[in-house]
Amino acid sequence: MGVSCSTCRCDEEAGDGKILQSTAAVCPTSCEDSIADMIVEKTISTHQLEVTFQLPNGSSRVICFTRRPLGLDFNRHMPITLKHVRPGSHADDLGVEEGWCIRTLQGYDVTQLVFQDVYLALKEASEHLP
């Protein structure tokens, strides 16, 4: 069962019954400016970057990156889909594969954001990994 937006309560204001999927969910329209900051803060406090990927078969996999470079090459539009995983990279060591789509960063649903916002959050958060 989903939970309502924990940051701005926009779903309560809109009255449209919109429910977000993660317990750490954040409004994808009203809170975009702060999502990157929240993702960075969680990365700093946990010393890892948790990414949930949707696999081509429809299942999900959570991967926790603990160092950089990540070794991911992806398309420049939403949904962010991996087009290449660099051999010998951290992502390769963790079993990440081409064709996987990024769904969440640090538990925050990023599927409704624009590419630039997700890219910025991913870039800034990964800069805080060793």
Side-chain angles (χ1 to χ4, degrees), residues 26-66:
V26 174
C27 170
T29 55
S30 300
C31 306
E32 290 176 4
D33 295 339
S34 61
I35 288 178
D37 292 337
M38 291 183 289
I39 290 168
V40 169
E41 286 176 23
K42 190 166 182 184
T43 302
I44 292 168
S45 69
T46 62
H47 307 288
Q48 66 182 16
L49 174 58
E50 179 184 291
V51 180
T52 302
F53 292 97
Q54 181 175 346
L55 284 56
N57 68 6
S59 66
S60 295
R61 175 131 347 131
V62 177
I63 302 291
C64 294
F65 293 93
T66 57

mmCIF file of all heavy atoms in Angstrom, residues 26-66:
data_model
loop_
_atom_site.group_PDB
_atom_site.id
_atom_site.type_symbol
_atom_site.label_atom_id
_atom_site.label_comp_id
_atom_site.label_asym_id
_atom_site.label_seq_id
_atom_site.Cartn_x
_atom_site.Cartn_y
_atom_site.Cartn_z
ATOM 1 N N VAL A 26 8.303 11.318 -2.342
ATOM 2 C CA VAL A 26 8.267 12.772 -2.397
ATOM 3 C C VAL A 26 7.483 13.164 -3.630
ATOM 4 O O VAL A 26 7.560 12.522 -4.659
ATOM 5 C CB VAL A 26 9.701 13.339 -2.488
ATOM 6 C CG1 VAL A 26 9.671 14.830 -2.686
ATOM 7 C CG2 VAL A 26 10.476 12.997 -1.240
ATOM 8 N N CYS A 27 6.740 14.211 -3.526
ATOM 9 C CA CYS A 27 5.943 14.710 -4.636
ATOM 10 C C CYS A 27 6.820 14.934 -5.860
ATOM 11 O O CYS A 27 7.797 15.654 -5.786
ATOM 12 C CB CYS A 27 5.287 16.029 -4.231
ATOM 13 S SG CYS A 27 4.522 16.885 -5.599
ATOM 14 N N PRO A 28 6.487 14.350 -7.003
ATOM 15 C CA PRO A 28 7.307 14.521 -8.183
ATOM 16 C C PRO A 28 7.075 15.830 -8.910
ATOM 17 O O PRO A 28 7.757 16.117 -9.870
ATOM 18 C CB PRO A 28 6.896 13.337 -9.065
ATOM 19 C CG PRO A 28 5.498 13.051 -8.657
ATOM 20 C CD PRO A 28 5.425 13.390 -7.184
ATOM 21 N N THR A 29 6.114 16.635 -8.484
ATOM 22 C CA THR A 29 5.868 17.884 -9.193
ATOM 23 C C THR A 29 6.171 19.113 -8.357
ATOM 24 O O THR A 29 6.746 20.057 -8.849
ATOM 25 C CB THR A 29 4.408 17.956 -9.672
ATOM 26 O OG1 THR A 29 3.546 17.767 -8.555
ATOM 27 C CG2 THR A 29 4.121 16.899 -10.706
ATOM 28 N N SER A 30 5.823 19.111 -7.092
ATOM 29 C CA SER A 30 5.971 20.304 -6.276
ATOM 30 C C SER A 30 7.292 20.389 -5.529
ATOM 31 O O SER A 30 7.661 21.435 -5.058
ATOM 32 C CB SER A 30 4.834 20.377 -5.260
ATOM 33 O OG SER A 30 3.607 20.416 -5.921
ATOM 34 N N CYS A 31 7.996 19.286 -5.392
ATOM 35 C CA CYS A 31 9.179 19.253 -4.540
ATOM 36 C C CYS A 31 10.460 18.975 -5.308
ATOM 37 O O CYS A 31 11.457 18.587 -4.723
ATOM 38 C CB CYS A 31 9.001 18.191 -3.461
ATOM 39 S SG CYS A 31 7.494 18.376 -2.517
ATOM 40 N N GLU A 32 10.453 19.131 -6.631
ATOM 41 C CA GLU A 32 11.600 18.772 -7.445
ATOM 42 C C GLU A 32 12.887 19.448 -7.003
ATOM 43 O O GLU A 32 13.948 18.864 -7.057
ATOM 44 C CB GLU A 32 11.326 19.076 -8.912
ATOM 45 C CG GLU A 32 10.302 18.145 -9.512
ATOM 46 C CD GLU A 32 9.945 18.496 -10.928
ATOM 47 O OE1 GLU A 32 10.552 19.422 -11.491
ATOM 48 O OE2 GLU A 32 9.060 17.843 -11.485
ATOM 49 N N ASP A 33 12.799 20.705 -6.563
ATOM 50 C CA ASP A 33 13.998 21.436 -6.196
ATOM 51 C C ASP A 33 14.733 20.808 -5.027
ATOM 52 O O ASP A 33 15.933 20.910 -4.920
ATOM 53 C CB ASP A 33 13.654 22.889 -5.847
ATOM 54 C CG ASP A 33 13.126 23.648 -7.048
ATOM 55 O OD1 ASP A 33 13.382 23.212 -8.185
ATOM 56 O OD2 ASP A 33 12.456 24.666 -6.838
ATOM 57 N N SER A 34 14.024 20.135 -4.144
ATOM 58 C CA SER A 34 14.664 19.601 -2.955
ATOM 59 C C SER A 34 15.009 18.120 -3.047
ATOM 60 O O SER A 34 15.697 17.607 -2.181
ATOM 61 C CB SER A 34 13.768 19.844 -1.744
ATOM 62 O OG SER A 34 12.534 19.180 -1.911
ATOM 63 N N ILE A 35 14.562 17.429 -4.058
ATOM 64 C CA ILE A 35 14.831 15.993 -4.157
ATOM 65 C C ILE A 35 16.324 15.722 -4.242
ATOM 66 O O ILE A 35 16.829 14.849 -3.539
ATOM 67 C CB ILE A 35 14.072 15.360 -5.332
ATOM 68 C CG1 ILE A 35 12.598 15.301 -4.991
ATOM 69 C CG2 ILE A 35 14.598 13.962 -5.624
ATOM 70 C CD1 ILE A 35 11.726 14.747 -6.076
ATOM 71 N N ALA A 36 17.048 16.453 -5.061
ATOM 72 C CA ALA A 36 18.500 16.236 -5.172
ATOM 73 C C ALA A 36 19.168 16.444 -3.827
ATOM 74 O O ALA A 36 20.030 15.652 -3.425
ATOM 75 C CB ALA A 36 19.108 17.161 -6.219
ATOM 76 N N ASP A 37 18.755 17.470 -3.082
ATOM 77 C CA ASP A 37 19.335 17.721 -1.764
ATOM 78 C C ASP A 37 19.056 16.580 -0.801
ATOM 79 O O ASP A 37 19.937 16.162 -0.052
ATOM 80 C CB ASP A 37 18.793 19.025 -1.176
ATOM 81 C CG ASP A 37 19.271 20.256 -1.935
ATOM 82 O OD1 ASP A 37 20.320 20.170 -2.601
ATOM 83 O OD2 ASP A 37 18.589 21.286 -1.852
ATOM 84 N N MET A 38 17.835 16.059 -0.821
ATOM 85 C CA MET A 38 17.488 14.953 0.081
ATOM 86 C C MET A 38 18.261 13.690 -0.273
ATOM 87 O O MET A 38 18.710 12.952 0.615
ATOM 88 C CB MET A 38 15.988 14.701 0.054
ATOM 89 C CG MET A 38 15.201 15.831 0.707
ATOM 90 S SD MET A 38 13.423 15.527 0.779
ATOM 91 C CE MET A 38 12.969 15.682 -0.933
ATOM 92 N N ILE A 39 18.439 13.439 -1.561
ATOM 93 C CA ILE A 39 19.191 12.270 -2.004
ATOM 94 C C ILE A 39 20.656 12.400 -1.596
ATOM 95 O O ILE A 39 21.259 11.443 -1.100
ATOM 96 C CB ILE A 39 19.024 12.072 -3.526
ATOM 97 C CG1 ILE A 39 17.588 11.633 -3.827
ATOM 98 C CG2 ILE A 39 20.039 11.063 -4.065
ATOM 99 C CD1 ILE A 39 17.206 11.671 -5.287
ATOM 100 N N VAL A 40 21.222 13.589 -1.763
ATOM 101 C CA VAL A 40 22.605 13.830 -1.356
ATOM 102 C C VAL A 40 22.759 13.661 0.153
ATOM 103 O O VAL A 40 23.694 12.999 0.619
ATOM 104 C CB VAL A 40 23.086 15.224 -1.818
ATOM 105 C CG1 VAL A 40 24.411 15.590 -1.163
ATOM 106 C CG2 VAL A 40 23.217 15.262 -3.332
ATOM 107 N N GLU A 41 21.844 14.229 0.923
ATOM 108 C CA GLU A 41 21.920 14.117 2.388
ATOM 109 C C GLU A 41 21.892 12.656 2.839
ATOM 110 O O GLU A 41 22.656 12.250 3.705
ATOM 111 C CB GLU A 41 20.763 14.881 3.043
ATOM 112 C CG GLU A 41 20.939 16.380 3.006
ATOM 113 C CD GLU A 41 19.732 17.128 3.564
ATOM 114 O OE1 GLU A 41 18.976 16.518 4.355
ATOM 115 O OE2 GLU A 41 19.548 18.291 3.201
ATOM 116 N N LYS A 42 21.016 11.873 2.230
ATOM 117 C CA LYS A 42 20.938 10.461 2.609
ATOM 118 C C LYS A 42 22.202 9.712 2.196
ATOM 119 O O LYS A 42 22.667 8.828 2.914
ATOM 120 C CB LYS A 42 19.697 9.805 2.011
ATOM 121 C CG LYS A 42 19.455 8.433 2.574
ATOM 122 C CD LYS A 42 18.072 7.913 2.269
ATOM 123 C CE LYS A 42 17.879 6.544 2.917
ATOM 124 N NZ LYS A 42 16.581 5.974 2.566
ATOM 125 N N THR A 43 22.770 10.064 1.053
ATOM 126 C CA THR A 43 24.013 9.444 0.603
ATOM 127 C C THR A 43 25.138 9.738 1.585
ATOM 128 O O THR A 43 25.906 8.849 1.951
ATOM 129 C CB THR A 43 24.389 9.926 -0.811
ATOM 130 O OG1 THR A 43 23.317 9.620 -1.711
ATOM 131 C CG2 THR A 43 25.667 9.268 -1.304
ATOM 132 N N ILE A 44 25.218 10.982 2.028
ATOM 133 C CA ILE A 44 26.246 11.370 2.997
ATOM 134 C C ILE A 44 26.066 10.614 4.306
ATOM 135 O O ILE A 44 27.019 10.091 4.876
ATOM 136 C CB ILE A 44 26.233 12.897 3.230
ATOM 137 C CG1 ILE A 44 26.710 13.623 1.962
ATOM 138 C CG2 ILE A 44 27.099 13.278 4.425
ATOM 139 C CD1 ILE A 44 26.478 15.121 1.978
ATOM 140 N N SER A 45 24.825 10.510 4.785
ATOM 141 C CA SER A 45 24.596 9.876 6.087
ATOM 142 C C SER A 45 24.749 8.355 6.048
ATOM 143 O O SER A 45 25.135 7.754 7.045
ATOM 144 C CB SER A 45 23.222 10.257 6.638
ATOM 145 O OG SER A 45 22.195 9.675 5.878
ATOM 146 N N THR A 46 24.461 7.715 4.911
ATOM 147 C CA THR A 46 24.537 6.255 4.837
ATOM 148 C C THR A 46 25.824 5.752 4.191
ATOM 149 O O THR A 46 26.099 4.557 4.228
ATOM 150 C CB THR A 46 23.347 5.683 4.046
ATOM 151 O OG1 THR A 46 23.387 6.184 2.706
ATOM 152 C CG2 THR A 46 22.024 6.032 4.716
ATOM 153 N N HIS A 47 26.574 6.657 3.562
ATOM 154 C CA HIS A 47 27.820 6.304 2.864
ATOM 155 C C HIS A 47 27.576 5.347 1.704
ATOM 156 O O HIS A 47 28.448 4.560 1.348
ATOM 157 C CB HIS A 47 28.859 5.719 3.829
ATOM 158 C CG HIS A 47 29.121 6.587 5.009
ATOM 159 N ND1 HIS A 47 29.812 7.766 4.910
ATOM 160 C CD2 HIS A 47 28.750 6.460 6.308
ATOM 161 C CE1 HIS A 47 29.874 8.332 6.108
ATOM 162 N NE2 HIS A 47 29.232 7.561 6.970
ATOM 163 N N GLN A 48 26.370 5.411 1.145
ATOM 164 C CA GLN A 48 26.054 4.603 -0.026
ATOM 165 C C GLN A 48 24.936 5.265 -0.812
ATOM 166 O O GLN A 48 24.200 6.094 -0.283
ATOM 167 C CB GLN A 48 25.645 3.190 0.373
ATOM 168 C CG GLN A 48 24.352 3.107 1.154
ATOM 169 C CD GLN A 48 24.025 1.678 1.567
ATOM 170 O OE1 GLN A 48 24.872 0.798 1.529
ATOM 171 N NE2 GLN A 48 22.788 1.442 1.965
ATOM 172 N N LEU A 49 24.830 4.890 -2.072
ATOM 173 C CA LEU A 49 23.768 5.391 -2.935
ATOM 174 C C LEU A 49 22.899 4.203 -3.334
ATOM 175 O O LEU A 49 23.332 3.321 -4.072
ATOM 176 C CB LEU A 49 24.347 6.071 -4.178
ATOM 177 C CG LEU A 49 23.352 6.531 -5.240
ATOM 178 C CD1 LEU A 49 22.339 7.516 -4.667
ATOM 179 C CD2 LEU A 49 24.083 7.126 -6.432
ATOM 180 N N GLU A 50 21.688 4.182 -2.798
ATOM 181 C CA GLU A 50 20.754 3.091 -3.083
ATOM 182 C C GLU A 50 19.943 3.438 -4.321
ATOM 183 O O GLU A 50 19.275 4.475 -4.369
ATOM 184 C CB GLU A 50 19.828 2.880 -1.897
ATOM 185 C CG GLU A 50 18.806 1.787 -2.103
ATOM 186 C CD GLU A 50 17.844 1.686 -0.948
ATOM 187 O OE1 GLU A 50 18.277 1.276 0.150
ATOM 188 O OE2 GLU A 50 16.659 2.038 -1.143
ATOM 189 N N VAL A 51 19.997 2.555 -5.319
ATOM 190 C CA VAL A 51 19.268 2.750 -6.567
ATOM 191 C C VAL A 51 18.382 1.535 -6.798
ATOM 192 O O VAL A 51 18.850 0.402 -6.730
ATOM 193 C CB VAL A 51 20.234 2.914 -7.765
ATOM 194 C CG1 VAL A 51 19.461 3.128 -9.059
ATOM 195 C CG2 VAL A 51 21.213 4.053 -7.527
ATOM 196 N N THR A 52 17.104 1.790 -7.040
ATOM 197 C CA THR A 52 16.199 0.707 -7.415
ATOM 198 C C THR A 52 16.045 0.737 -8.918
ATOM 199 O O THR A 52 15.721 1.777 -9.497
ATOM 200 C CB THR A 52 14.820 0.856 -6.742
ATOM 201 O OG1 THR A 52 14.991 0.888 -5.333
ATOM 202 C CG2 THR A 52 13.896 -0.298 -7.121
ATOM 203 N N PHE A 53 16.308 -0.407 -9.536
ATOM 204 C CA PHE A 53 16.193 -0.548 -10.985
ATOM 205 C C PHE A 53 14.988 -1.414 -11.302
ATOM 206 O O PHE A 53 14.686 -2.370 -10.586
ATOM 207 C CB PHE A 53 17.426 -1.248 -11.562
ATOM 208 C CG PHE A 53 18.688 -0.451 -11.480
ATOM 209 C CD1 PHE A 53 19.582 -0.656 -10.440
ATOM 210 C CD2 PHE A 53 19.011 0.483 -12.456
ATOM 211 C CE1 PHE A 53 20.773 0.062 -10.366
ATOM 212 C CE2 PHE A 53 20.195 1.201 -12.394
ATOM 213 C CZ PHE A 53 21.073 0.991 -11.345
ATOM 214 N N GLN A 54 14.308 -1.082 -12.400
ATOM 215 C CA GLN A 54 13.309 -1.978 -12.951
ATOM 216 C C GLN A 54 14.012 -2.759 -14.044
ATOM 217 O O GLN A 54 14.633 -2.169 -14.938
ATOM 218 C CB GLN A 54 12.117 -1.233 -13.531
ATOM 219 C CG GLN A 54 11.072 -2.186 -14.080
ATOM 220 C CD GLN A 54 9.827 -1.473 -14.558
ATOM 221 O OE1 GLN A 54 9.604 -0.309 -14.276
ATOM 222 N NE2 GLN A 54 9.006 -2.192 -15.295
ATOM 223 N N LEU A 55 13.934 -4.077 -13.972
ATOM 224 C CA LEU A 55 14.581 -4.945 -14.943
ATOM 225 C C LEU A 55 13.659 -5.159 -16.136
ATOM 226 O O LEU A 55 12.448 -4.960 -16.025
ATOM 227 C CB LEU A 55 14.945 -6.281 -14.296
ATOM 228 C CG LEU A 55 16.168 -6.275 -13.382
ATOM 229 C CD1 LEU A 55 16.107 -5.278 -12.261
ATOM 230 C CD2 LEU A 55 16.457 -7.663 -12.866
ATOM 231 N N PRO A 56 14.213 -5.573 -17.270
ATOM 232 C CA PRO A 56 13.382 -5.782 -18.470
ATOM 233 C C PRO A 56 12.229 -6.760 -18.262
ATOM 234 O O PRO A 56 11.200 -6.641 -18.914
ATOM 235 C CB PRO A 56 14.382 -6.316 -19.499
ATOM 236 C CG PRO A 56 15.691 -5.719 -19.075
ATOM 237 C CD PRO A 56 15.635 -5.721 -17.561
ATOM 238 N N ASN A 57 12.364 -7.698 -17.318
ATOM 239 C CA ASN A 57 11.287 -8.668 -17.074
ATOM 240 C C ASN A 57 10.198 -8.110 -16.157
ATOM 241 O O ASN A 57 9.266 -8.809 -15.792
ATOM 242 C CB ASN A 57 11.841 -9.979 -16.512
ATOM 243 C CG ASN A 57 12.413 -9.845 -15.110
ATOM 244 O OD1 ASN A 57 12.315 -8.798 -14.463
ATOM 245 N ND2 ASN A 57 13.040 -10.912 -14.640
ATOM 246 N N GLY A 58 10.335 -6.835 -15.730
ATOM 247 C CA GLY A 58 9.332 -6.189 -14.894
ATOM 248 C C GLY A 58 9.623 -6.250 -13.407
ATOM 249 O O GLY A 58 8.974 -5.557 -12.624
ATOM 250 N N SER A 59 10.577 -7.080 -13.000
ATOM 251 C CA SER A 59 10.935 -7.146 -11.578
ATOM 252 C C SER A 59 11.826 -5.959 -11.213
ATOM 253 O O SER A 59 12.271 -5.213 -12.088
ATOM 254 C CB SER A 59 11.645 -8.465 -11.262
ATOM 255 O OG SER A 59 12.903 -8.527 -11.920
ATOM 256 N N SER A 60 12.072 -5.802 -9.917
ATOM 257 C CA SER A 60 12.919 -4.710 -9.431
ATOM 258 C C SER A 60 14.125 -5.269 -8.703
ATOM 259 O O SER A 60 14.055 -6.357 -8.126
ATOM 260 C CB SER A 60 12.141 -3.813 -8.465
ATOM 261 O OG SER A 60 11.093 -3.174 -9.129
ATOM 262 N N ARG A 61 15.201 -4.506 -8.710
ATOM 263 C CA ARG A 61 16.398 -4.885 -7.971
ATOM 264 C C ARG A 61 16.982 -3.637 -7.341
ATOM 265 O O ARG A 61 17.120 -2.604 -7.995
ATOM 266 C CB ARG A 61 17.409 -5.521 -8.906
ATOM 267 C CG ARG A 61 18.701 -5.819 -8.225
ATOM 268 C CD ARG A 61 19.318 -7.177 -8.377
ATOM 269 N NE ARG A 61 18.527 -8.231 -8.926
ATOM 270 C CZ ARG A 61 18.951 -9.025 -9.907
ATOM 271 N NH1 ARG A 61 20.130 -8.845 -10.447
ATOM 272 N NH2 ARG A 61 18.189 -10.004 -10.347
ATOM 273 N N VAL A 62 17.320 -3.732 -6.050
ATOM 274 C CA VAL A 62 17.950 -2.632 -5.329
ATOM 275 C C VAL A 62 19.447 -2.888 -5.296
ATOM 276 O O VAL A 62 19.897 -3.962 -4.901
ATOM 277 C CB VAL A 62 17.402 -2.517 -3.887
ATOM 278 C CG1 VAL A 62 18.125 -1.417 -3.127
ATOM 279 C CG2 VAL A 62 15.896 -2.263 -3.912
ATOM 280 N N ILE A 63 20.211 -1.885 -5.721
ATOM 281 C CA ILE A 63 21.670 -1.956 -5.727
ATOM 282 C C ILE A 63 22.194 -0.798 -4.884
ATOM 283 O O ILE A 63 21.746 0.342 -5.045
ATOM 284 C CB ILE A 63 22.238 -1.837 -7.164
ATOM 285 C CG1 ILE A 63 21.680 -2.945 -8.069
ATOM 286 C CG2 ILE A 63 23.752 -1.822 -7.155
ATOM 287 C CD1 ILE A 63 22.165 -4.339 -7.761
ATOM 288 N N CYS A 64 23.149 -1.093 -4.003
ATOM 289 C CA CYS A 64 23.756 -0.061 -3.160
ATOM 290 C C CYS A 64 25.186 0.189 -3.619
ATOM 291 O O CYS A 64 26.062 -0.660 -3.435
ATOM 292 C CB CYS A 64 23.720 -0.480 -1.689
ATOM 293 S SG CYS A 64 22.043 -0.585 -1.038
ATOM 294 N N PHE A 65 25.388 1.356 -4.211
ATOM 295 C CA PHE A 65 26.721 1.758 -4.666
ATOM 296 C C PHE A 65 27.474 2.369 -3.487
ATOM 297 O O PHE A 65 26.917 3.187 -2.753
ATOM 298 C CB PHE A 65 26.619 2.786 -5.794
ATOM 299 C CG PHE A 65 26.033 2.227 -7.056
ATOM 300 C CD1 PHE A 65 24.670 2.323 -7.309
ATOM 301 C CD2 PHE A 65 26.836 1.601 -7.993
ATOM 302 C CE1 PHE A 65 24.123 1.807 -8.474
ATOM 303 C CE2 PHE A 65 26.308 1.081 -9.166
ATOM 304 C CZ PHE A 65 24.945 1.183 -9.407
ATOM 305 N N THR A 66 28.723 1.974 -3.311
ATOM 306 C CA THR A 66 29.520 2.464 -2.186
ATOM 307 C C THR A 66 30.794 3.163 -2.628
ATOM 308 O O THR A 66 31.545 3.650 -1.783
ATOM 309 C CB THR A 66 29.890 1.308 -1.241
ATOM 310 O OG1 THR A 66 30.584 0.301 -1.984
ATOM 311 C CG2 THR A 66 28.648 0.720 -0.594
#
